[in-house]
Amino acid sequence: MTNNAPPQAQPNQDGDHVSLTTPLLSRHRSTPNSSSQVAIVGANICPIESLDYEIVENDFFRQDWRARGSIHIFQYIFMKWLLCFLIGIIVSLIGFFNNLAVENIAGIKFVVTSNMMLMGRYGMAFLVFSVSNLVLTFFAASLTAFAAPVAAGSGIPEVKAYLNGVDAPGILSFRTLVVKIFGNITAVSSSLLVGKAGPMVHTGACVASLMGQGGSKKFSMTWKWLGYFKNDRDQRDLITCGSAAGIAAAFRAPVGGVLFALEEMASWWRSALLWRAFFTTAVVAIVLRGLIDVCLSGKCGLFGKGGLIMFDVYSKSVSYHLTDVPSVLLLGVIGGVLGSLYNFILDKVLRFYNQIKKKGFVYKIFLACFISIFTSCLLFGLPWLASCQPCPFDAAEACPTIGRSGNYKKFQCPPDHYNDLASLIFNTNDDAIRNLFSKNTNSEFQYSSILIFFVTCFFLSIFSCGIVAPVGLFVPVIVTGASYGRFVGMLVGSNSNLNHGLYAVLGATSFLGGSMRMTVSLCVIILELTNNLLLLPLIMLVLLVSKTVADTFNGNIYDLIMKAKGFPYLEAHAEPYMRQLTVGDVVTGPLQIFHGIEKVGKIVHVLKTTRHNGFPVVDEPSVSQSAVLYGLILREHLIVLLKKRAFLSTSVPTGDHALRPFSAEDFAKKSSGNSDKIEDIELTEEEMEMFLDLHPFTNTSPYTVVETMSLAKALVLFREIGLRHLLVIPKIPSISPVVGILTRHDFMPEHVLGLQPLLITSRWKRLRIRFPNLLKLLGSHAG
């Protein structure tokens, strides 16, 4: 985890920072935390907060639900389905608008450039091409850098971390949504080798979050009738549906979108959520189908057809035999090796870019503009290296293609000839994929052209995805994989029953599996893209081989990006060494405890001097027979009590009538950055001497573990339930009924190994360095 905290600060039990001079509990065997939980978004350092997915079962919660009748419950369920319906409609409209805008903007640029080349004005054509790309990139980078730096990148790591329980400020705001849409349109239109699938996932999550909050309060766009789900638990469900809708809108793959959310995004799943996600993606598919029919009638502009990447290239039966299996296995191995290499280089490049971005906005924008100029020079210059090819007599479309998209770009060639490299490079990414996937084109490309295109895509996609703009990785990975897949098909030639277009599909599949490490969702997405179920056995085989090979080297690309950004993501399995540790070995202090009836002055002091989010509430012998753990109270609930001034003049329990001044709206989740702060509450000296009865607002059933439980077992419990706090109680009764609190930070490998350095022997170090992901895989199977 990247350490960006000042040296005088350390994370506390909630990942925030407290003074290093604060003494720890003497009974704890661990040392102070030395790692930091901060997220690097662009060059900004954002404090990490966890999300409260656990239901707070206190007296107020019970009374609120008892007061609700069947009509209120029906209204809650109906509103949740209605929100899924609205999310599907809005995300599908955004996806359609994005594709339409990209096709028209990029199409006009290519037409103008091609017209100048037809007139022999090659210098002016290059100037128009490079300047238009530079202007589009500059707009995307400037908009992102100044308006919403958190919108940079694909957004999938941010949403995945959120669904794991990590909340970084601003990642799902209305401003992020706007920048994500317009920044991605201009970035993709600028001929950078970037995609729009990842940003669509982030867009869908932003739409779902805003709908669940009832709109954006900051921009005065709120609707009270939508504000039923202002809590982290319902927000998590809606954002999961939104991310599924994003993939469905990007690839027109509704089932693939659901499986993508299940396999890659969500850390917590249930059957009801599966139904809602499926309903959301079904709405996306229906809306897109209707909009595409409109575009096919020619009402979507000169270039926009609204196809949203549907490569319907295999309508006939695909015949393959056992003799084709070796070449398919070879593609899987190549995909695994290249995918892990791709992830390794990309991780290094992103970390290098981050050092540049830390220097300020000018450096961020300059880096993006430099990549744009470099890309334009390559895209315009490389096709000159390819020799012109005569047009085939049986071409399925016009040859050469002039201006618009097609398989046979004229570029600088004489009449009745085409430039095969220009057909791939001097084109949009969608059209390049379509050309590589196309059937009955085995003789269209030269070996040198395909090889040049592969190398160009491999490195340009790495250098482009780290710029300060909303850019995705899905489409660049598909283009790169399809190029080497086509190359392998050309090498195999007549020795295989598979045509070159099918090899391109399998190559794209293998590279996706090698870099993103998904299987089921990628399999279905590719099937929905190619519109042919007969490819299923080959795609399954390629994915299994490529993922297995790549897993021996490093993690998937999104996990590497999350780690580079500092998100404390909890893996589904525990590290092997965690089985040797107990929770008592890693729990750290200081532990702040409140009494059931606490003095207002002490509460204010603790809230101002710490950033803890949860506090154990203990009843002393004066209230009970012995010191007992009553429950856990949240920081935001304490602030509400102080803000409402629900004070007592004496330390006497108040009973149920203490709940009367409060409503459910008071305890609703505030949007990120809008929560109340203790510094904003001003109290008099007289009020500071009064008391608060915490009993009615304390969660009386928090999750607890004994201090002798293994850290691995506690991690599984913590992640599976989606906790923010896990109370540790003593094995043997003692003076204090609670030992400490485990939070997300306490399970981070960097923190655990920092506390227990003797766990790592020299041999273990070597194994972790050489095969980090293999050890994780073995650890998960051992469990």
Side-chain angles (χ1 to χ4, degrees), residues 570-589:
L570 289 179
E571 298 288 349
H573 57 271
E575 296 281 359
Y577 57 79
M578 290 185 177
R579 304 185 185 282
Q580 306 174 32
L581 300 173
T582 65
V583 295
D585 295 325
V586 299
V587 68
T588 57

Side-chain angles (χ1 to χ4, degrees), residues 316 416 548:
K316 298 181 181 179
D416 299 326
T548 303

Side-chain angles (χ1 to χ4, degrees), residues 446-465:
Q446 304 175 78
Y447 289 96
S448 58
S449 298
I450 290 292
L451 193 58
I452 292 173
F453 182 67
F454 162 67
V455 175
T456 303
C457 290
F458 187 88
F459 289 102
L460 274 186
S461 61
I462 291 175
F463 295 139
S464 301
C465 79

